[in-house]
Amino acid sequence: PAMAEALEQMLIRGLLLAQPHNYSAALQGSRALADSQPAYLLRACQFMRSHAAEEIGIEAVEKVAGVSRLKLYEAFRRHLQTSPMAWLRHYRLQGVQQALAHPDAQTSVSATALAWGFNHLGRFASAYASAYDELPSQTLARARQAAGG
């Protein structure tokens, strides 16, 4: 039974990695990240993902990672080509963009931005426009138009 279970797990992993599907990129990306990034960097990123809607200071990220601020910044620069707080802002922007691109009837730009931890709506709109070459309201309007017609 133990051998059959191991064989079954190996077969499932092989199929998931070999056959293209909706989650192929995520699986490949997470596997590559886990193989190449230090554990403290993975802990920091997971913490920021889990608490993205909250006020997160660099001190909290340092504490969770268990390394100094300098070491944390070096790891982010080396492995992710950004700083910890820029990585968090990008992660939040992706979350807002996904929510606005797939809205329900109650979705609003300001409520979505606030839910993702953006407390200054003017700075949020500017960062969003820089990242996606359109205002958040344009993303929402385009998604609603596509859903309605």
Side-chain angles (χ1 to χ4, degrees), residues 52-55 92 96 108-122 124:
E54 303 167 21
E55 285 275 330
R92 287 173 170 168
V96 170
S108 75
V109 171
S110 56
T112 304
L114 291 170
W116 275 93
F118 289 102
N119 296 323
H120 191 286
L121 297 178
F124 156 72

Side-chain angles (χ1 to χ4, degrees), residues 39-41 43-44 47 59-68 72 76:
Y40 63 86
L41 181 59
R43 280 193 308 271
F47 172 76
E59 297 83 11
V61 179
E62 284 177 70
K63 186 175 180 179
V64 167
V67 295
S68 71
L72 187 63
F76 267 86

Side-chain angles (χ1 to χ4, degrees), residues 88-105:
L88 176 61
R89 183 176 53 250
H90 178 73
Y91 179 78
R92 287 173 170 168
L93 284 170
Q94 286 179 322
V96 170
Q97 193 274 336
Q98 286 295 309
L100 295 178
H102 303 94
D104 60 27

Side-chain angles (χ1 to χ4, degrees), residues 16-34:
L16 282 173
L17 294 173
Q19 183 64 35
H21 51 79
N22 293 351
Y23 302 102
S24 294
L27 284 173
Q28 291 296 338
S30 66
R31 213 174 93 210
L33 290 178

